[in-house]
Amino acid sequence: MNYNRVVCFDLEMCCWNVDGKGTTGEIIEIGLAEIDLASKRIVKRAQYYVKPERDQVSQFCVELTGITPRKIEKQGRPLEQVIQSMIKNFGGTNKIYASWGRDDLIFFNECESKGIPFPFKEFINLATLYRIQHRLKDKRIGHKQAQESQGIAWEGRQHSGYVDAYNLAKLALTML
């Protein structure tokens, strides 16, 4: 296990807003940003688009994420192929992965439902760690709000896996 490197990741999924209630489906984007804890730097970034097998990219999803059906059709690949690229470029079970919230469960459940081996074993929920570090026992806080409360500027469009993973990596460098 490489304890000097943490791979921050963010997922975007097919999503809908029905009667004011949001729901999500299959993963359509995985953003990654790897940090080196010794040098306190972001050392690698990547963005992968995933072709959903059953879901469609809704107009609501396009407006929220900026990901269009055309982009998924042209650049998306099956989840299994994306995971193979992730492992090749970032390492699999020899790295620690981190997200804001329980994206690991979403990722794990989708892999399990599709019969794909899950690409990592070690996981850090940075939202929980942040709440512990800042004594926010009963208060939930979003990633962007947490980052800005630490004086770290948000860069780019929120709800882009690539952008969100990069911003999470910036925050993680102050937490780990």
Side-chain angles (χ1 to χ4, degrees):
M1 181 63 60
N2 185 341
Y3 290 99
N4 287 323
R5 296 285 182 102
V6 175
V7 180
C8 297
F9 73 99
D10 185 75
L11 305 175
E12 298 302 326
M13 285 90 59
C14 290
C15 53
W16 304 269
N17 187 347
V18 179
D19 298 326
K21 181 169 173 42
T23 59
T24 58
E26 289 178 276
I27 297 167
I28 55 172
E29 181 194 10
I30 302 172
L32 301 114
E34 184 171 338
I35 58 176
D36 182 308
L37 297 175
S39 68
K40 294 282 192 186
R41 293 182 316 117
I42 298 169
V43 294
K44 193 183 307 185
R45 294 175 70 187
Q47 175 181 46
Y48 301 103
Y49 290 108
V50 181
K51 279 189 177 176
E53 293 177 7
R54 296 176 292 277
D55 290 336
Q56 301 294 318
V57 177
S58 70
Q59 186 57 40
F60 172 78
C61 190
V62 171
E63 291 167 11
L64 182 67
T65 67
I67 300 169
T68 64
R70 180 176 167 89
K71 183 173 284 198
I72 292 297
E73 185 177 316
K74 289 182 101 68
Q75 298 178 36
R77 295 182 293 148
L79 181 60
E80 189 166 24
Q81 287 179 18
V82 167
I83 288 172
Q84 289 169 356
S85 293
M86 283 175 55
I87 291 168
K88 179 182 176 197
N89 294 318
F90 288 88
T93 57
N94 65 328
K95 292 280 179 71
I96 299 167
Y97 283 74
S99 71
W100 190 265
R102 295 308 310 261
D103 280 10
D104 64 313
L105 291 178
I106 294 166
F107 201 177
F108 176 83
N109 289 335
E110 187 161 333
C111 285
E112 187 172 61
S113 75
K114 293 179 176 179
I116 301 168
F118 192 55
F120 57 86
K121 291 183 180 161
E122 294 288 334
F123 172 75
I124 301 169
N125 179 344
L126 292 171
T128 299
L129 181 59
Y130 184 90
R131 286 176 40 217
I132 291 167
Q133 289 175 340
H134 295 275
R135 307 295 188 257
L136 301 174
K137 183 177 142 189
D138 296 321
K139 184 179 178 194
R140 297 184 68 80
I141 185 168
H143 169 202
K144 186 174 182 182
Q145 182 184 0
Q147 181 167 320
E148 290 173 345
S149 77
Q150 299 305 299
I152 304 167
W154 186 273
E155 296 179 49
R157 177 193 177 125
Q158 195 174 13
H159 300 298
S160 157
Y162 184 71
V163 168
D164 291 355
Y166 172 72
N167 281 297
L168 185 59
K170 293 191 320 181
L171 179 59
L173 283 170
T174 70
M175 297 172 62
L176 303 174

